[in-house]
Amino acid sequence: MATFKAIRIDKADKGTVARLTQFDEADLMDGDVTVRVEWSALNYKDGLALTGKSPVVRRFPMIPGIDLAGTVEQSSHPHWKAGDKVICNGWGLGETHLGAYAEKARVNGDWLVRVPDSMSVRNAMAIGTAGYTAMLAVLALERHGITPASGPIVVTGAAGGVGSVAISVLSKRGYEVIASTGRMSEADYLQHLGASEVIDRNELTGPAKPLARERWAGGIDSVGSTTLANLVSMTKYRGAVAACGLAGGMDLPTSVAPFILRGVCLLGIDSVMCPIELRRAAWSSLVSDLDSRKLSEITHEIGLDQVFDRGSEILEGRIRGRIVVKVA
């Protein structure tokens, strides 16, 4: 097809404008693999791009969407052939490279990961960047030496995509999980995912003490700012916190005390440019350690035309779990 359905973001007199339109295949960017996109997902970064509330988009016009899964249509890359089922997360999709909210994408074959044999293309996007990032964080804690015997793990932004998957995976791997949320009405949901305790995020939003009472062996944080500062100050001796988000802000008002007096480590989790070996390890672990029934329960499906409204909702913290976007 010469044209295909896509969401396009353009510069406007004031900010940007996003609309669902037809996009010319000839205007796709360079790449050695063309993918027929079947499913995508809605992430916090996608909400920022769609609403223009943060300068996520670096070139115009842009097709947003940082996650895609689908079928290879054409390939000159030695590792991929027509018919292969593939996943692409990050690498500038939806920011500097035309992204996933379109029926076709052309990308660098080195960016792709094969959809695991036992996983559907839809479920790959139900997991998406959020779930893959959560698994990267879990693996980072374990590489640091944090085990279930070390003590509880706190997960912030618990009802969101990263938090929901992190709780489910940690619980499956035998950890005691403390879920922190601003929506205490979601306590039953979080406990069903595997949280043994649910705390109000207000316990972590005040000014952080240099050293507070030790409460957990580690944490997975998607909020940043004072929440992350409080997490670090409450982490036990030689514990670690994996930081992977900034929903609460980019600042980090903390002190060096937890690092030099308790030996706490702050582990940065980057999902965008993450090496391919770590990506494959994360996706492989997700096959065995993410309960498919729980994944189904936390996933909601929408069409391309619905991402505009839901993009605003995800920025307002009103989305529970994961949203998959049916593209094809």
Side-chain angles (χ1 to χ4, degrees), residues 141 144 146 216-218 235-241 262-266:
L141 290 175
H144 184 74
I146 305 298
W216 33 70
T235 298
K236 295 181 179 181
Y237 182 73
R238 297 195 66 79
V241 176
R262 286 185 182 160
V264 172
C265 284
L266 183 58

Side-chain angles (χ1 to χ4, degrees), residues 141-142 145-153 174-175 217:
L141 290 175
E142 292 185 341
I146 305 298
T147 69
S150 302
I153 305 296
Y175 290 87

Side-chain angles (χ1 to χ4, degrees), residues 20 41 209 212 222 246:
L20 184 60
K209 296 178 180 179
S222 61
L246 45 66

Side-chain angles (χ1 to χ4, degrees), residues 269-319:
I269 306 300
D270 164 50
S271 63
V272 176
M273 305 303 290
C274 179
I276 198 72
E277 294 80 10
L278 289 178
R279 292 171 182 265
R280 290 173 181 151
W283 283 101
S284 176
S285 295
L286 284 161
V287 172
S288 58
D289 290 342
L290 180 57
D291 188 317
S292 60
R293 291 170 300 176
K294 289 183 178 178
L295 179 63
S296 178
E297 291 169 4
I298 70 173
T299 303
H300 311 276
E301 181 180 318
I302 64 173
L304 268 181
D305 59 337
Q306 297 172 279
V307 300
F308 302 99
D309 289 339
R310 304 310 291 273
S312 297
E313 291 176 12
I314 199 168
L315 298 186
E316 295 165 2
R318 295 194 284 126
I319 298 295

